[in-house]
Amino acid sequence: MNKSKYVMHALIADLARSVSQEICFNLDDSWKGGFIHEHTKLGSAKIRHSAFSCHRYDISKRFEVYNEMKSLRTFLALPISSSPENYFYHLSGKVLTELVHKLRRLRVLSLAGYSLVDLPSSICALKHLRYLNLSYTAITRLPKSLSELFNLQTLNLHGCSELVELPSDIGNLINLHYLDISDTNSLQEMPLQISKLTYLRLLPKFIVGQGNGLGIKELMKLPHLQGQLWIIGLQNVVNVRDAELSGLHEKLGLDELALEWIDNFQVSRNGGE
């Protein structure tokens, strides 16, 4: 796939840094020789946004400077590899625990590409969080307390191949607009409360449950879906009327629909339009 690229002139880059230096902080620029420059520490209280490149092994010492950034709004990890799914970065568990404890004003938290297996239950302390990116991590389950992030608008779990379940109380995330669970092949079912996320615009995958599991007609309660939708487990639809009640024909924002059902544990048909 061809993507547009551009190179910023060095003078423009320097100007951008000069204008934003009081509120923006690049850890890569400031971390020299294993320590943070003193002028960075003195101005840390004013910093609102920060980004950094992931290291193969990131230890807590590298992030000590964030202890004083009480007003930080953005904490953005940038994987170096262009294919993060093929290259995990390791983050000390102590780092995340301390971040949650001290950076209570975060709006944006991205840990994409780190080999995280779980999140601390204290993640619920980030009451102002709007955007959480855990794509291409090794996360298996999300803590139940995640459902207390009532202001969360985007939850990115793309490429989390080890993810086996979503929080049962996910319906509490009433402001969630984007839930990316594409390329989560270990996820075999979805919580019933998905249908409570009535503001959802992005839900690339919907898994129809068995028996009392999530029914296809619950899609009727998600009228704002856009883009792509892949419906898996159509063999679990017992009543044809339920499929009609899903209201797929009314979701005008969808531009791609894929259907999949399994017969004798083998995929017998996979169609899209």
Side-chain angles (χ1 to χ4, degrees):
M1 180 178 180
N2 293 326
K3 294 184 178 181
S4 299
K5 296 181 180 180
Y6 68 93
V7 177
M8 181 182 293
H9 193 283
L11 291 176
I12 300 298
D14 290 342
L15 175 62
R17 288 193 183 97
S18 176
V19 171
S20 63
Q21 63 182 350
E22 289 192 1
I23 63 171
C24 296
F25 170 68
N26 188 318
L27 183 60
D28 302 331
D29 291 342
S30 300
W31 180 266
K32 304 294 183 183
F35 64 92
I36 298 293
H37 289 304
E38 194 63 31
H39 73 272
T40 298
K41 296 180 181 180
L42 293 175
S44 60
K46 298 180 179 179
I47 293 173
R48 298 291 187 272
H49 312 287
S50 181
F52 59 94
S53 298
C54 299
H55 287 177
R56 188 73 173 88
Y57 294 97
D58 271 328
I59 59 176
S60 59
K61 182 175 178 58
R62 187 187 182 206
F63 300 94
E64 287 179 351
V65 67
Y66 290 103
N67 293 341
E68 305 303 321
M69 297 184 186
K70 306 298 184 182
S71 298
L72 196 68
R73 304 296 200 270
T74 303
F75 186 86
L76 189 63
L78 304 173
I80 298 174
S81 172
S82 59
S83 300
E85 70 273 22
N86 297 321
Y87 189 84
F88 274 151
Y89 305 89
H90 300 273
L91 180 69
S92 168
K94 182 180 178 182
V95 174
L96 189 53
T97 301
E98 292 182 349
L99 283 176
V100 170
H101 177 67
K102 297 177 179 179
L103 304 181
R104 298 296 182 91
R105 298 183 181 182
L106 278 182
R107 266 66 168 177
V108 174
L109 175 59
S110 176
L111 300 168
Y114 276 120
S115 56
L116 298 173
V117 176
D118 52 33
L119 291 178
S121 59
S122 56
I123 190 74
C124 61
L126 302 180
K127 299 297 185 182
H128 303 287
L129 202 63
R130 305 289 199 276
Y131 176 93
L132 178 58
N133 186 351
L134 300 172
S135 60
Y136 295 114
T137 61
I139 199 93
T140 57
R141 290 178 174 82
L142 298 169
K144 184 176 181 180
S145 61
L146 185 82
S147 299
E148 298 177 30
L149 299 178
F150 304 119
N151 291 306
L152 196 65
Q153 297 177 4
T154 297
L155 177 57
N156 189 347
L157 300 169
H158 175 76
C160 292
S161 58
E162 305 300 320
L163 183 70
V164 296
E165 66 179 13
L166 296 170
S168 59
D169 293 333
I170 197 171
N172 292 336
L173 302 179
I174 56 175
N175 290 302
L176 199 64
H177 285 68
Y178 303 94
L179 175 57
D180 191 347
I181 52 173
S182 54
D183 293 336
T184 54
N185 297 331
S186 296
L187 186 65
Q188 300 299 315
E189 62 180 4
M190 301 173 70
L192 295 173
Q193 288 196 10
I194 283 286
S195 59
K196 291 186 177 182
L197 304 179
T198 56
Y199 291 112
L200 270 185
R201 295 182 180 275
L202 176 70
L203 182 66
K205 181 166 68 175
F206 184 92
I207 305 173
V208 181
Q210 299 181 13
N212 295 324
L214 188 69
I216 192 172
K217 65 181 179 180
E218 298 302 308
L219 279 170
M220 175 180 60
K221 301 175 183 177
L222 307 176
H224 305 296
L225 293 182
Q226 301 176 358
Q228 300 177 342
L229 176 60
W230 180 21
I231 303 178
I232 303 171
L234 285 174
Q235 75 279 357
N236 295 324
V237 178
V238 178
N239 192 331
V240 176
R241 179 59 177 164
D242 288 347
E244 296 175 353
L245 291 174
S246 66
L248 287 174
H249 63 286
E250 298 176 356
K251 302 184 192 307
L252 303 182
L254 292 177
D255 51 41
E256 185 175 339
L257 177 65
L259 307 175
E260 178 181 306
W261 60 94
I262 301 174
D263 184 20
N264 295 327
F265 303 102
Q266 298 293 326
V267 175
S268 64
R269 183 178 297 181
N270 186 0
E273 60 179 4

